[in-house]
Amino acid sequence: MSSQPDKNFQLEQANASDDSIQQTHAQLLQTKPEKKDGYSFLPLGILGLMCAAVFFGSIYLAHNSVRFDPLVYSESAKREKPGAVANVALTRAQLGKRVFATTCIACHQANGLGIPSVYPPLAGSEWALGNEERIIRIVLHGLNGPIEVKGSAYANVMAPLGEVLKDEQIANVISYVRSEWGNAASEVQPELVAKVRAATAARKTYWTAAELQQVGP
Ligand code: HEC
């Protein structure tokens, strides 16, 4: 009795043809779960999250970022730009305020009053408000020696700024000086600065007040 199962098994084995064995193997192979060779959903999820972050980040930036406008940050930017930026155009004096704040303010002060007996005032100064070509010369080549401003005498030196500032910047800062602190003189154009610069190109020393007095009325 005990040998019965073995006998059956042998019979079954004997009955199995090559074809049926191959078929069985094929079935077994197919139903085997696929091998996951280092394949995981976790990095895919992280990648998806990163894509979403970039996507929504871009939308956020597009809606909330401040547009860079050269007119706001550069005093030498062209004012008459056609198109959408035209409405933020600054006047020459407004652009000149930036030049003043970096180049003149240390001596002539934010209130344009200078420092008594050291730095002369620009507010109400006959030199600032008078002949344009005189103040252009002062900024280009500097000023040396005794000068009377608003009835007070100064005997100091102002260094030349012609090498540091471009024609446009000089026109802007002079326009600012001539229209700030109650001053109300005409705007100065860069073309005039260029003209004076060319006409005085040979000048190597600072001006004196006496020399400047001879420049026009
Ligand atoms: C380092 C100090 C200093 C700086 C910077 C300076 N100045 Fe002066 N400025 C003087 C002094 C000092 C005098 C008087 C010189 C003298 O005594 O002969 C003067 C005189 C003047 C005068 C004629 C007198 C008057 O008060 O009106 C003008 C105009 C003037 N400066 C404009 C400017 C402008 C515009 C800038 C900037 C672009 C500038 N200065 C930058 C020191 C300075």
Side-chain angles (χ1 to χ4, degrees):
M1 279 295 264
S2 64
S3 64
Q4 197 64 19
D6 280 341
K7 205 178 169 193
N8 274 345
F9 182 66
Q10 280 169 4
L11 273 175
E12 258 177 48
Q13 272 209 322
N15 279 342
S17 66
D18 284 353
D19 275 356
S20 70
I21 286 172
Q22 273 185 358
Q23 246 178 19
T24 315
H25 279 186
Q27 274 173 0
L28 281 173
L29 277 175
Q30 271 175 11
T31 51
K32 247 192 188 166
E34 241 171 65
K35 239 191 168 182
K36 288 187 177 175
D37 243 341
Y39 181 89
S40 157
F41 276 102
L42 189 61
L44 255 196
I46 290 171
L47 190 66
L49 278 179
M50 283 166 71
C51 288
V54 169
F55 178 72
F56 290 110
S58 308
I59 291 179
Y60 179 85
L61 278 183
H63 279 277
N64 297 293
S65 67
V66 182
R67 185 172 51 112
F68 175 78
D69 188 336
L71 283 175
V72 177
Y73 299 101
S74 165
E75 74 276 354
S76 59
K78 285 271 171 294
R79 288 186 304 150
E80 300 86 7
K81 247 194 186 152
V85 293
N87 58 346
V88 292
L90 300 175
T91 66
R92 212 168 268 301
Q94 283 171 324
L95 292 167
K97 186 175 184 173
R98 299 177 57 85
V99 182
F100 186 87
T102 52
T103 325
C104 324
I105 207 167
C107 301
H108 294 286
Q109 306 298 302
N111 58 11
L113 294 177
I115 292 173
S117 72
V118 185
Y119 301 123
L122 298 176
S125 153
E126 60 270 38
W127 298 93
L129 292 163
N131 189 300
E132 300 172 350
E133 299 204 12
R134 280 204 298 238
I135 182 169
I136 291 174
R137 277 171 168 78
I138 292 175
V139 175
L140 279 176
H141 307 286
L143 185 66
N144 185 12
I147 186 172
E148 198 177 306
V149 186
K150 287 175 80 181
S152 298
Y154 296 83
N156 203 341
V157 178
M158 172 173 154
L161 294 165
E163 298 289 315
V164 187
L165 300 174
K166 300 189 191 89
D167 293 346
E168 176 110 26
Q169 292 174 307
I170 292 176
N172 291 349
V173 74
I174 291 178
S175 297
Y176 171 73
V177 163
R178 282 162 70 88
S179 64
E180 189 69 13
W181 317 294
N183 287 357
S186 59
E187 209 176 57
V188 166
Q189 302 304 320
E191 290 75 22
L192 182 62
V193 179
K195 202 190 105 187
V196 173
R197 194 194 281 272
T200 59
R203 182 85 195 182
K204 294 284 177 272
T205 50
Y206 302 4
W207 298 100
T208 63
E211 279 177 312
L212 291 176
Q213 228 115 32
Q214 285 154 30
V215 178

